[in-house]
Amino acid sequence: MAKFWQNKEIYKINMKQRGIIATFGIVLFMCMPGQIGWAADNTPEWVYQDILDLAAAGKVTLPTGIDKTNIHTLNRQQLSQLTAQAIQNTSGSPVGSSAPIMQPGTNGGAMTPELVQQWLKMNTELTQMENRMLKMQQDMRYLTMRIMAQQSGVQIPQQPVQRGSAVASPTMPVQERGQVAGQGMYPVAQAPVDERTASLQAEFTPELKNMGMGSDALAKETVMSATADEDKRAEEQDIKFNGEVRYSYRKNSGAERFQGRDSQLRVRLFARKRINDDWAAYGMLEGKKYFLSDYGDDDWASGSRLYVDGITGITKLTAGKFGYMMADGNIYDSDFKGVRASIDTYPWQYTFAAGRINSSADAILGTARYTGNNYDAGVGLYRFGDDDWGREKNSIFTVDGNYYFGDFRLGGTFLAADKSYKYLGSTGFVGVLSYRKLKSWRPGSYTLYARYYDQPYTTYRTHTMNGLADSMKGFRGYGVGLAYALFPEVVLTAEYYHLQDKFDDQWGNTLWSNVIYNF
């Protein structure tokens, strides 16, 4: 990456703009939950019992110190993570994939697709219409039992029936349904583990959707259950390895100073060592081999990382040297040395971090994010110190949001800095439109995306794009791209960028492609 020019003049914007940024800090503080340990409201009581039943069955591992006496201290985010773990351990299907909610049973007929679609439709309505929540929870539970009955070949009445003095009803918790079954109400002795998992998946559908592929990784990291035997526990204590191999090619054109090409092979080896049920240590070794000399020399050590990651209460902590993407990469995307704390109180998430970025500048930041049913929005405040590349200290304020409809995502990020370079402005915008989500494990999966950029020099430090942003003094233009899964965990990506330098109005184009293999 080209070094930034050394001669700069940074001018402060007026006090009114600085006051807006300062006000954000107060707003962020006021948005914090009154007490760090509260659990999200409106979580049905049956959820906690089902989680306890799954833990007793060895399908989930409760956080350290959590049992039936204090399980109500878990918030929705933690409960959804346990649900993701149960799904992985029950069916083996990654959360967020298009796999059926439940696989067809071996003792009876296959599921009726119409029932599954009805269930999903009802769950969507449930999240949007709180005034109908109770009634729809009742209907969904009964529908769950019908689906499971079709799997096992057992017939269940279309409606709750009266048998003796008790009434079989979909409003009953799992443990009560088992008692009613003993009286002959339903011809099932007890709610099976798969039913509990399916009910939890329906309850936490919004949270699981927001996890995406990340929930699959979480489930794999927490696969050991409390009832695992000694051999399994010993296996989980071993160091786990995985890796990534990427070959990329870049060709820059346009103004003479931008012209050049690069061909690079990058190999990364990742390692994980479990410390206890809540904490793990992670490491990464990175090596780069350049086949063309326009942009760099071979490097086999500088990209390495080492950090610990774990949960205490509802706070997730990361400390050491790790990768950090700030504001969707529009501010920073590279190594970060420091500490990061994330507090999940669904639908809100708060993140705070302090440390140093790759240009040796100190950094401190705070963000708040709200997740709705088909949208999310957030605000952030980032403060950077002077760095080794000639940039002076400054602050950046962001407001962003995304709207999801069908397979599309429409989003935008507004950025405002408290300083301007050469009077060329201090506010910027990035817009994004994408189609579909890439699922690297599924051949034929793909994603298309397009972005429009208008960012002054003081609104970013190390940009995530593969274009020429880091070689310009602010830029405007667009980028388009395609990622396609050729084979399981083998992805081909192609991108094109057309950008103009805000300082001298020179244009630069980048054609970038890569093939990446994860193992």
Side-chain angles (χ1 to χ4, degrees):
M1 183 179 60
K3 293 288 186 180
F4 294 106
W5 296 351
Q6 299 297 317
N7 297 323
K8 301 179 177 64
E9 294 182 20
I10 306 293
Y11 296 89
K12 296 184 178 180
I13 62 176
N14 61 51
M15 294 299 294
K16 180 178 179 180
Q17 290 172 298
R18 296 174 64 193
I20 293 175
I21 296 177
T23 302
F24 162 71
I26 300 175
V27 174
L28 178 63
F29 177 79
M30 293 176 65
C31 288
M32 286 289 295
Q35 52 183 351
I36 298 301
W38 62 249
D41 293 333
N42 300 323
T43 299
E45 180 64 28
W46 62 264
V47 167
Y48 301 104
Q49 184 59 51
D50 281 6
I51 291 292
L52 288 173
D53 291 343
L54 288 169
K59 295 297 183 179
V60 299
T61 301
L62 297 176
T64 300
I66 296 296
D67 55 30
K68 65 180 180 181
T69 64
N70 59 2
I71 192 172
H72 291 82
T73 62
L74 298 179
N75 61 26
R76 287 189 65 88
Q77 185 68 19
Q78 292 171 301
L79 293 169
S80 65
Q81 291 171 351
L82 291 171
T83 299
Q85 183 184 153
I87 294 170
Q88 176 70 24
N89 292 343
T90 300
S91 67
S93 299
V95 178
S97 73
S98 61
I101 293 177
M102 293 172 288
Q103 299 297 328
T106 57
N107 297 324
M111 292 183 298
T112 305
E114 290 76 10
L115 290 178
V116 178
Q117 293 301 320
Q118 181 183 355
W119 186 358
L120 293 175
K121 178 181 178 181
M122 292 170 65
N123 184 67
T124 300
E125 293 176 355
L126 175 64
T127 61
Q128 296 175 340
M129 308 172 67
E130 292 185 358
N131 60 326
R132 297 177 57 197
M133 182 175 294
L134 180 59
K135 179 181 182 300
M136 294 192 66
Q137 283 178 332
Q138 296 170 350
D139 292 343
M140 288 170 61
R141 286 195 179 187
Y142 186 63
L143 191 57
T144 299
M145 298 186 69
R146 290 183 60 191
I147 293 174
M148 295 306 303
Q150 287 190 2
Q151 288 185 288
S152 58
V154 175
Q155 295 297 320
I156 287 183
Q158 293 294 319
Q159 298 293 335
V161 296
Q162 180 76 32
R163 298 275 184 93
S165 60
V167 177
S169 168
T171 63
M172 292 182 179
V174 169
Q175 63 273 24
E176 293 183 23
R177 291 202 301 267
Q179 297 171 0
V180 173
Q183 302 176 32
M185 304 299 166
Y186 283 149
V188 290
Q190 186 176 356
V193 170
D194 279 346
E195 179 185 340
R196 297 189 184 94
T197 303
S199 298
L200 290 169
Q201 181 170 356
E203 172 68 23
F204 293 106
T205 293
E207 292 89 342
L208 294 173
K209 285 183 178 179
N210 292 327
M211 286 184 191
M213 292 175 57
S215 61
D216 184 33
L218 172 68
K220 290 179 180 178
E221 289 180 7
T222 57
V223 68
M224 184 174 63
S225 70
T227 59
D229 58 29
E230 293 183 1
D231 291 340
K232 179 62 177 178
R233 289 182 175 275
E235 177 186 343
E236 286 297 315
Q237 294 299 321
D238 293 341
I239 299 178
K240 305 293 184 181
F241 293 98
N242 62 293
E244 171 191 284
V245 178
R246 186 187 80 174
Y247 173 79
S248 62
Y249 176 80
R250 173 200 308 270
K251 181 175 177 58
N252 294 328
S253 60
E256 183 177 356
R257 68 186 180 93
F258 295 135
Q259 294 180 9
R261 58 198 183 107
D262 182 28
S263 180
Q264 178 198 99
L265 178 66
R266 187 185 75 182
V267 179
R268 287 178 168 178
L269 180 63
F270 304 93
R272 176 180 68 88
K273 177 67 169 69
R274 183 187 293 273
I275 300 174
N276 56 35
D277 290 344
D278 297 327
W279 288 85
Y282 298 84
M284 184 192 79
L285 295 176
E286 179 183 87
K288 297 178 181 178
K289 171 67 177 178
Y290 292 87
F291 299 98
L292 301 172
S293 59
D294 289 356
Y295 287 90
D297 299 323
D298 295 350
D299 182 358
W300 298 101
S302 63
S304 300
R305 298 169 182 170
L306 181 63
Y307 61 96
V308 294
D309 187 86
I311 297 176
T312 172
I314 63 170
T315 304
K316 181 180 180 182
L317 294 175
T318 305
K321 182 181 179 183
F322 51 93
Y324 205 150
M325 177 180 286
M326 302 178 188
D328 202 23
N330 293 311
I331 293 178
Y332 183 81
D333 183 13
S334 192
D335 294 336
F336 185 85
K337 298 178 182 178
V339 178
R340 176 177 62 197
S342 296
I343 303 171
D344 288 324
T345 55
Y346 186 85
W348 285 95
Q349 181 185 59
Y350 306 90
T351 300
F352 304 91
R356 179 165 291 189
I357 60 176
N358 61 358
S359 59
S360 299
D362 293 331
I364 184 169
L365 62 99
T367 67
R369 186 155 213 86
Y370 180 85
T371 300
N373 184 46
N374 60 348
Y375 69 93
D376 56 68
V379 292
L381 181 61
Y382 307 80
R383 178 67 177 174
F384 299 98
D386 299 336
D387 67 19
D388 293 344
W389 298 345
R391 285 178 177 252
E392 296 184 6
K393 61 183 180 181
N394 77 302
S395 299
I396 305 172
F397 169 65
T398 64
V399 178
D400 73 276
N402 296 284
Y403 177 66
Y404 305 91
F405 53 103
D407 288 328
F408 290 91
R409 167 201 171 197
L410 179 64
T413 302
F414 170 78
L415 306 99
D418 65 344
K419 294 181 180 180
S420 172
Y421 175 73
K422 298 290 186 180
Y423 296 110
L424 294 176
S426 59
T427 60
F429 175 78
V430 178
V432 58
L433 176 65
S434 65
Y435 176 68
R436 306 191 70 168
K437 289 185 178 180
L438 176 70
K439 299 172 182 177
S440 60
W441 64 88
R442 181 180 301 160
S445 174
Y446 67 91
T447 181
L448 298 168
Y449 47 92
R451 287 181 171 85
Y452 171 78
Y453 305 93
D454 187 354
Q455 289 190 246
Y457 185 55
T458 52
T459 62
Y460 62 98
R461 286 296 176 117
T462 300
H463 209 284
T464 190
M465 72 158 61
N466 293 298
L468 290 162
D470 291 334
S471 299
M472 295 181 173
K473 301 300 177 146
F475 62 97
R476 65 171 62 88
Y478 66 87
V480 295
L482 161 70
Y484 183 85
L486 299 172
F487 307 101
E489 301 302 340
V490 179
V491 177
L492 171 67
T493 302
E495 297 178 345
Y496 176 76
Y497 297 90
H498 182 61
L499 306 175
Q500 183 182 33
D501 194 315
K502 281 180 168 286
F503 178 68
D504 58 16
D505 294 330
Q506 291 186 336
W507 287 90
N509 308 308
T510 300
L511 179 61
W512 184 86
S513 61
N514 81 338
V515 177
I516 189 168
Y517 169 56
N518 296 295
F519 60 92

